[in-house]
Amino acid sequence: MKQTVKPIAVISGDVVGSTKLTSDEFEQLLQRIKDIQAWINKGNDSNLHSIERGDEFQTVIHDINNALRYAILYRIGIKALGKAFESRISFAIASNADLRASVSESMGEAFVLSGRGLKALKNDRFIFHSERLELTERFELLFKYLDKQLTELTSRQCAVLVPMLRNHEVLSVSELADKLGIATATASKSLKASGWPLISELNSLFINQVTRLKDV
C-alpha cells in the first residue's frame, strides 16, 4: 500500500447500453478502452487502470493537470467508435489516497467522490467533484455545457478530436489533416464544428486552477 499526500485524480466510467452491443462491437469497445489507458500512461507511467466486466473502468491519475483531458479522451474516444457507443464519466480530485497494486482495492476521497458522482449521473454523461468545494463550484456550470457539447458530437467529429487530445494539443491543423488523411481545410472546419477552440480553452483554464493544488 502506498499513501499519497499530494492530490490525485480518479476517473470512473461505464458504457451506456453495453448489453445491446454485438460481440464484435464489444471487442471494439474493450480494445478502445485499453488503447485509451495506454495513451494516458504515455503522460505518466505511474497512472493505474482497471476494467471491470468490460464496460466499467477506472483510472488513477497522478498528473492531475491532465485529468480533464484524459476524462474527455475517454468520452470521445469511445463515442468515436460509432452511434452505438456512449459512456458516462465521473472524475474527482482529492488528496490523501491509499493506493494499492489493484485500483479496485485502493481507497481515498478521490475514489469516493468519483464513484459517488458516477452513481448520481442520470440524464447527464459527465461530472466533476473535488474535495475543495470552490474548485467543484467553479467548474460545475462549465462542465454542464461541456457535457452538452460532447453529447451532441457525431462519431466523426469525435474521431477528429481524439488525435488533438492524445497529443496534448501540440498538433497543428496540417499535422492533424495528415494523420486523418484529409484536406487541411476539412480538418480545420471539422475542429471548429466540434467546438475544439472552446474545449481547448476550458482545458487550459482547468490546468491553471489544478496546477495551484499541486504547488500547495
PDB file of all heavy atoms in Angstrom, residues 134-154:
ATOM      1  N   GLU A 134     -14.735  25.024  -3.646  1.00  0.00           N
ATOM      2  CA  GLU A 134     -14.629  26.158  -4.563  1.00  0.00           C
ATOM      3  C   GLU A 134     -14.220  25.719  -5.958  1.00  0.00           C
ATOM      4  O   GLU A 134     -14.632  26.310  -6.974  1.00  0.00           O
ATOM      5  CB  GLU A 134     -13.645  27.209  -4.033  1.00  0.00           C
ATOM      6  CG  GLU A 134     -12.177  26.797  -3.990  1.00  0.00           C
ATOM      7  CD  GLU A 134     -11.780  26.043  -2.725  1.00  0.00           C
ATOM      8  OE1 GLU A 134     -12.684  25.583  -1.988  1.00  0.00           O
ATOM      9  OE2 GLU A 134     -10.568  25.935  -2.470  1.00  0.00           O
ATOM     10  N   LEU A 135     -13.408  24.649  -6.048  1.00  0.00           N
ATOM     11  CA  LEU A 135     -12.996  24.135  -7.348  1.00  0.00           C
ATOM     12  C   LEU A 135     -14.166  23.436  -8.035  1.00  0.00           C
ATOM     13  O   LEU A 135     -14.389  23.619  -9.236  1.00  0.00           O
ATOM     14  CB  LEU A 135     -11.822  23.161  -7.187  1.00  0.00           C
ATOM     15  CG  LEU A 135     -11.176  22.668  -8.481  1.00  0.00           C
ATOM     16  CD1 LEU A 135     -10.569  23.831  -9.257  1.00  0.00           C
ATOM     17  CD2 LEU A 135     -10.101  21.618  -8.188  1.00  0.00           C
ATOM     18  N   THR A 136     -14.924  22.650  -7.283  1.00  0.00           N
ATOM     19  CA  THR A 136     -16.109  21.994  -7.831  1.00  0.00           C
ATOM     20  C   THR A 136     -17.090  23.027  -8.362  1.00  0.00           C
ATOM     21  O   THR A 136     -17.606  22.907  -9.484  1.00  0.00           O
ATOM     22  CB  THR A 136     -16.805  21.143  -6.746  1.00  0.00           C
ATOM     23  OG1 THR A 136     -15.874  20.177  -6.241  1.00  0.00           O
ATOM     24  CG2 THR A 136     -18.005  20.409  -7.321  1.00  0.00           C
ATOM     25  N   GLU A 137     -17.364  24.035  -7.560  1.00  0.00           N
ATOM     26  CA  GLU A 137     -18.344  25.048  -7.944  1.00  0.00           C
ATOM     27  C   GLU A 137     -17.866  25.877  -9.135  1.00  0.00           C
ATOM     28  O   GLU A 137     -18.672  26.295  -9.967  1.00  0.00           O
ATOM     29  CB  GLU A 137     -18.643  25.955  -6.756  1.00  0.00           C
ATOM     30  CG  GLU A 137     -19.400  25.244  -5.628  1.00  0.00           C
ATOM     31  CD  GLU A 137     -19.646  26.145  -4.439  1.00  0.00           C
ATOM     32  OE1 GLU A 137     -18.934  27.169  -4.304  1.00  0.00           O
ATOM     33  OE2 GLU A 137     -20.550  25.823  -3.639  1.00  0.00           O
ATOM     34  N   ARG A 138     -16.578  26.119  -9.216  1.00  0.00           N
ATOM     35  CA  ARG A 138     -16.038  26.925 -10.323  1.00  0.00           C
ATOM     36  C   ARG A 138     -16.312  26.271 -11.672  1.00  0.00           C
ATOM     37  O   ARG A 138     -16.582  26.955 -12.666  1.00  0.00           O
ATOM     38  CB  ARG A 138     -14.538  27.140 -10.147  1.00  0.00           C
ATOM     39  CG  ARG A 138     -13.908  27.990 -11.247  1.00  0.00           C
ATOM     40  CD  ARG A 138     -12.456  28.290 -10.963  1.00  0.00           C
ATOM     41  NE  ARG A 138     -11.869  29.146 -11.969  1.00  0.00           N
ATOM     42  CZ  ARG A 138     -11.956  30.461 -11.992  1.00  0.00           C
ATOM     43  NH1 ARG A 138     -12.602  31.089 -11.031  1.00  0.00           N
ATOM     44  NH2 ARG A 138     -11.385  31.179 -12.954  1.00  0.00           N
ATOM     45  N   PHE A 139     -16.241  24.934 -11.702  1.00  0.00           N
ATOM     46  CA  PHE A 139     -16.377  24.230 -12.974  1.00  0.00           C
ATOM     47  C   PHE A 139     -17.737  23.570 -13.187  1.00  0.00           C
ATOM     48  O   PHE A 139     -17.983  23.013 -14.259  1.00  0.00           O
ATOM     49  CB  PHE A 139     -15.266  23.177 -13.106  1.00  0.00           C
ATOM     50  CG  PHE A 139     -13.920  23.768 -13.387  1.00  0.00           C
ATOM     51  CD1 PHE A 139     -13.000  23.943 -12.369  1.00  0.00           C
ATOM     52  CD2 PHE A 139     -13.586  24.181 -14.668  1.00  0.00           C
ATOM     53  CE1 PHE A 139     -11.766  24.506 -12.623  1.00  0.00           C
ATOM     54  CE2 PHE A 139     -12.349  24.738 -14.930  1.00  0.00           C
ATOM     55  CZ  PHE A 139     -11.437  24.909 -13.898  1.00  0.00           C
ATOM     56  N   GLU A 140     -18.606  23.616 -12.206  1.00  0.00           N
ATOM     57  CA  GLU A 140     -19.878  22.892 -12.302  1.00  0.00           C
ATOM     58  C   GLU A 140     -20.678  23.287 -13.546  1.00  0.00           C
ATOM     59  O   GLU A 140     -21.086  22.429 -14.341  1.00  0.00           O
ATOM     60  CB  GLU A 140     -20.710  23.124 -11.042  1.00  0.00           C
ATOM     61  CG  GLU A 140     -22.007  22.326 -11.032  1.00  0.00           C
ATOM     62  CD  GLU A 140     -22.763  22.472  -9.725  1.00  0.00           C
ATOM     63  OE1 GLU A 140     -22.402  23.350  -8.910  1.00  0.00           O
ATOM     64  OE2 GLU A 140     -23.725  21.713  -9.516  1.00  0.00           O
ATOM     65  N   LEU A 141     -20.935  24.567 -13.724  1.00  0.00           N
ATOM     66  CA  LEU A 141     -21.726  25.013 -14.865  1.00  0.00           C
ATOM     67  C   LEU A 141     -20.956  24.849 -16.178  1.00  0.00           C
ATOM     68  O   LEU A 141     -21.535  24.452 -17.206  1.00  0.00           O
ATOM     69  CB  LEU A 141     -22.143  26.472 -14.680  1.00  0.00           C
ATOM     70  CG  LEU A 141     -23.069  27.050 -15.754  1.00  0.00           C
ATOM     71  CD1 LEU A 141     -24.362  26.237 -15.845  1.00  0.00           C
ATOM     72  CD2 LEU A 141     -23.386  28.517 -15.455  1.00  0.00           C
ATOM     73  N   LEU A 142     -19.657  25.121 -16.153  1.00  0.00           N
ATOM     74  CA  LEU A 142     -18.847  24.972 -17.355  1.00  0.00           C
ATOM     75  C   LEU A 142     -18.879  23.537 -17.862  1.00  0.00           C
ATOM     76  O   LEU A 142     -18.963  23.294 -19.072  1.00  0.00           O
ATOM     77  CB  LEU A 142     -17.402  25.389 -17.062  1.00  0.00           C
ATOM     78  CG  LEU A 142     -17.161  26.876 -16.806  1.00  0.00           C
ATOM     79  CD1 LEU A 142     -15.743  27.112 -16.325  1.00  0.00           C
ATOM     80  CD2 LEU A 142     -17.440  27.696 -18.062  1.00  0.00           C
ATOM     81  N   PHE A 143     -18.828  22.579 -16.939  1.00  0.00           N
ATOM     82  CA  PHE A 143     -18.831  21.177 -17.349  1.00  0.00           C
ATOM     83  C   PHE A 143     -20.218  20.710 -17.787  1.00  0.00           C
ATOM     84  O   PHE A 143     -20.340  19.754 -18.552  1.00  0.00           O
ATOM     85  CB  PHE A 143     -18.290  20.294 -16.223  1.00  0.00           C
ATOM     86  CG  PHE A 143     -16.784  20.385 -16.067  1.00  0.00           C
ATOM     87  CD1 PHE A 143     -16.153  19.861 -14.953  1.00  0.00           C
ATOM     88  CD2 PHE A 143     -16.005  20.992 -17.031  1.00  0.00           C
ATOM     89  CE1 PHE A 143     -14.767  19.942 -14.806  1.00  0.00           C
ATOM     90  CE2 PHE A 143     -14.626  21.086 -16.902  1.00  0.00           C
ATOM     91  CZ  PHE A 143     -14.014  20.558 -15.783  1.00  0.00           C
ATOM     92  N   LYS A 144     -21.256  21.370 -17.338  1.00  0.00           N
ATOM     93  CA  LYS A 144     -22.600  21.058 -17.848  1.00  0.00           C
ATOM     94  C   LYS A 144     -22.686  21.433 -19.333  1.00  0.00           C
ATOM     95  O   LYS A 144     -23.238  20.687 -20.144  1.00  0.00           O
ATOM     96  CB  LYS A 144     -23.670  21.806 -17.048  1.00  0.00           C
ATOM     97  CG  LYS A 144     -23.981  21.192 -15.685  1.00  0.00           C
ATOM     98  CD  LYS A 144     -25.103  21.936 -15.002  1.00  0.00           C
ATOM     99  CE  LYS A 144     -25.427  21.316 -13.643  1.00  0.00           C
ATOM    100  NZ  LYS A 144     -26.021  19.969 -13.799  1.00  0.00           N
ATOM    101  N   TYR A 145     -22.123  22.585 -19.668  1.00  0.00           N
ATOM    102  CA  TYR A 145     -22.083  22.991 -21.071  1.00  0.00           C
ATOM    103  C   TYR A 145     -21.175  22.058 -21.877  1.00  0.00           C
ATOM    104  O   TYR A 145     -21.476  21.705 -23.019  1.00  0.00           O
ATOM    105  CB  TYR A 145     -21.612  24.435 -21.194  1.00  0.00           C
ATOM    106  CG  TYR A 145     -22.692  25.455 -20.954  1.00  0.00           C
ATOM    107  CD1 TYR A 145     -22.747  26.176 -19.766  1.00  0.00           C
ATOM    108  CD2 TYR A 145     -23.675  25.700 -21.921  1.00  0.00           C
ATOM    109  CE1 TYR A 145     -23.745  27.117 -19.541  1.00  0.00           C
ATOM    110  CE2 TYR A 145     -24.675  26.630 -21.697  1.00  0.00           C
ATOM    111  CZ  TYR A 145     -24.712  27.336 -20.516  1.00  0.00           C
ATOM    112  OH  TYR A 145     -25.713  28.255 -20.287  1.00  0.00           O
ATOM    113  N   LEU A 146     -20.047  21.680 -21.290  1.00  0.00           N
ATOM    114  CA  LEU A 146     -19.142  20.751 -21.962  1.00  0.00           C
ATOM    115  C   LEU A 146     -19.838  19.421 -22.221  1.00  0.00           C
ATOM    116  O   LEU A 146     -19.727  18.852 -23.319  1.00  0.00           O
ATOM    117  CB  LEU A 146     -17.891  20.525 -21.108  1.00  0.00           C
ATOM    118  CG  LEU A 146     -16.911  19.463 -21.622  1.00  0.00           C
ATOM    119  CD1 LEU A 146     -16.324  19.865 -22.964  1.00  0.00           C
ATOM    120  CD2 LEU A 146     -15.800  19.226 -20.603  1.00  0.00           C
ATOM    121  N   ASP A 147     -20.570  18.935 -21.236  1.00  0.00           N
ATOM    122  CA  ASP A 147     -21.295  17.677 -21.376  1.00  0.00           C
ATOM    123  C   ASP A 147     -22.272  17.754 -22.549  1.00  0.00           C
ATOM    124  O   ASP A 147     -22.368  16.835 -23.373  1.00  0.00           O
ATOM    125  CB  ASP A 147     -22.036  17.368 -20.075  1.00  0.00           C
ATOM    126  CG  ASP A 147     -22.740  16.016 -20.101  1.00  0.00           C
ATOM    127  OD1 ASP A 147     -22.347  15.149 -20.910  1.00  0.00           O
ATOM    128  OD2 ASP A 147     -23.674  15.825 -19.315  1.00  0.00           O
ATOM    129  N   LYS A 148     -22.993  18.850 -22.633  1.00  0.00           N
ATOM    130  CA  LYS A 148     -23.952  19.037 -23.733  1.00  0.00           C
ATOM    131  C   LYS A 148     -23.234  19.040 -25.074  1.00  0.00           C
ATOM    132  O   LYS A 148     -23.686  18.411 -26.042  1.00  0.00           O
ATOM    133  CB  LYS A 148     -24.710  20.349 -23.536  1.00  0.00           C
ATOM    134  CG  LYS A 148     -25.798  20.629 -24.571  1.00  0.00           C
ATOM    135  CD  LYS A 148     -26.541  21.894 -24.229  1.00  0.00           C
ATOM    136  CE  LYS A 148     -27.701  22.142 -25.192  1.00  0.00           C
ATOM    137  NZ  LYS A 148     -27.226  22.362 -26.590  1.00  0.00           N
ATOM    138  N   GLN A 149     -22.099  19.714 -25.127  1.00  0.00           N
ATOM    139  CA  GLN A 149     -21.327  19.772 -26.363  1.00  0.00           C
ATOM    140  C   GLN A 149     -20.840  18.379 -26.780  1.00  0.00           C
ATOM    141  O   GLN A 149     -20.966  17.981 -27.940  1.00  0.00           O
ATOM    142  CB  GLN A 149     -20.129  20.707 -26.185  1.00  0.00           C
ATOM    143  CG  GLN A 149     -19.125  20.717 -27.329  1.00  0.00           C
ATOM    144  CD  GLN A 149     -19.690  21.317 -28.603  1.00  0.00           C
ATOM    145  OE1 GLN A 149     -20.660  22.059 -28.551  1.00  0.00           O
ATOM    146  NE2 GLN A 149     -19.082  21.000 -29.729  1.00  0.00           N
ATOM    147  N   LEU A 150     -20.291  17.626 -25.836  1.00  0.00           N
ATOM    148  CA  LEU A 150     -19.770  16.295 -26.150  1.00  0.00           C
ATOM    149  C   LEU A 150     -20.891  15.340 -26.553  1.00  0.00           C
ATOM    150  O   LEU A 150     -20.707  14.488 -27.424  1.00  0.00           O
ATOM    151  CB  LEU A 150     -19.012  15.732 -24.945  1.00  0.00           C
ATOM    152  CG  LEU A 150     -17.775  16.520 -24.484  1.00  0.00           C
ATOM    153  CD1 LEU A 150     -17.115  15.823 -23.291  1.00  0.00           C
ATOM    154  CD2 LEU A 150     -16.779  16.691 -25.621  1.00  0.00           C
ATOM    155  N   THR A 151     -22.044  15.466 -25.926  1.00  0.00           N
ATOM    156  CA  THR A 151     -23.177  14.602 -26.239  1.00  0.00           C
ATOM    157  C   THR A 151     -23.653  14.819 -27.670  1.00  0.00           C
ATOM    158  O   THR A 151     -24.071  13.871 -28.349  1.00  0.00           O
ATOM    159  CB  THR A 151     -24.335  14.853 -25.257  1.00  0.00           C
ATOM    160  OG1 THR A 151     -23.901  14.534 -23.935  1.00  0.00           O
ATOM    161  CG2 THR A 151     -25.562  14.005 -25.592  1.00  0.00           C
ATOM    162  N   GLU A 152     -23.571  16.050 -28.148  1.00  0.00           N
ATOM    163  CA  GLU A 152     -24.080  16.378 -29.480  1.00  0.00           C
ATOM    164  C   GLU A 152     -23.084  16.089 -30.595  1.00  0.00           C
ATOM    165  O   GLU A 152     -23.435  16.144 -31.776  1.00  0.00           O
ATOM    166  CB  GLU A 152     -24.485  17.850 -29.523  1.00  0.00           C
ATOM    167  CG  GLU A 152     -25.700  18.156 -28.639  1.00  0.00           C
ATOM    168  CD  GLU A 152     -26.057  19.633 -28.607  1.00  0.00           C
ATOM    169  OE1 GLU A 152     -25.269  20.446 -29.161  1.00  0.00           O
ATOM    170  OE2 GLU A 152     -27.107  19.971 -28.036  1.00  0.00           O
ATOM    171  N   LEU A 153     -21.853  15.755 -30.242  1.00  0.00           N
ATOM    172  CA  LEU A 153     -20.853  15.453 -31.268  1.00  0.00           C
ATOM    173  C   LEU A 153     -21.198  14.168 -32.011  1.00  0.00           C
ATOM    174  O   LEU A 153     -21.692  13.205 -31.439  1.00  0.00           O
ATOM    175  CB  LEU A 153     -19.474  15.299 -30.635  1.00  0.00           C
ATOM    176  CG  LEU A 153     -18.806  16.543 -30.047  1.00  0.00           C
ATOM    177  CD1 LEU A 153     -17.484  16.168 -29.400  1.00  0.00           C
ATOM    178  CD2 LEU A 153     -18.600  17.603 -31.111  1.00  0.00           C
ATOM    179  N   THR A 154     -20.911  14.144 -33.299  1.00  0.00           N
ATOM    180  CA  THR A 154     -21.038  12.913 -34.069  1.00  0.00           C
ATOM    181  C   THR A 154     -19.788  12.065 -33.853  1.00  0.00           C
ATOM    182  O   THR A 154     -18.754  12.556 -33.384  1.00  0.00           O
ATOM    183  CB  THR A 154     -21.180  13.226 -35.567  1.00  0.00           C
ATOM    184  OG1 THR A 154     -19.952  13.818 -36.027  1.00  0.00           O
ATOM    185  CG2 THR A 154     -22.341  14.184 -35.824  1.00  0.00           C
TER     186      THR A 154
END
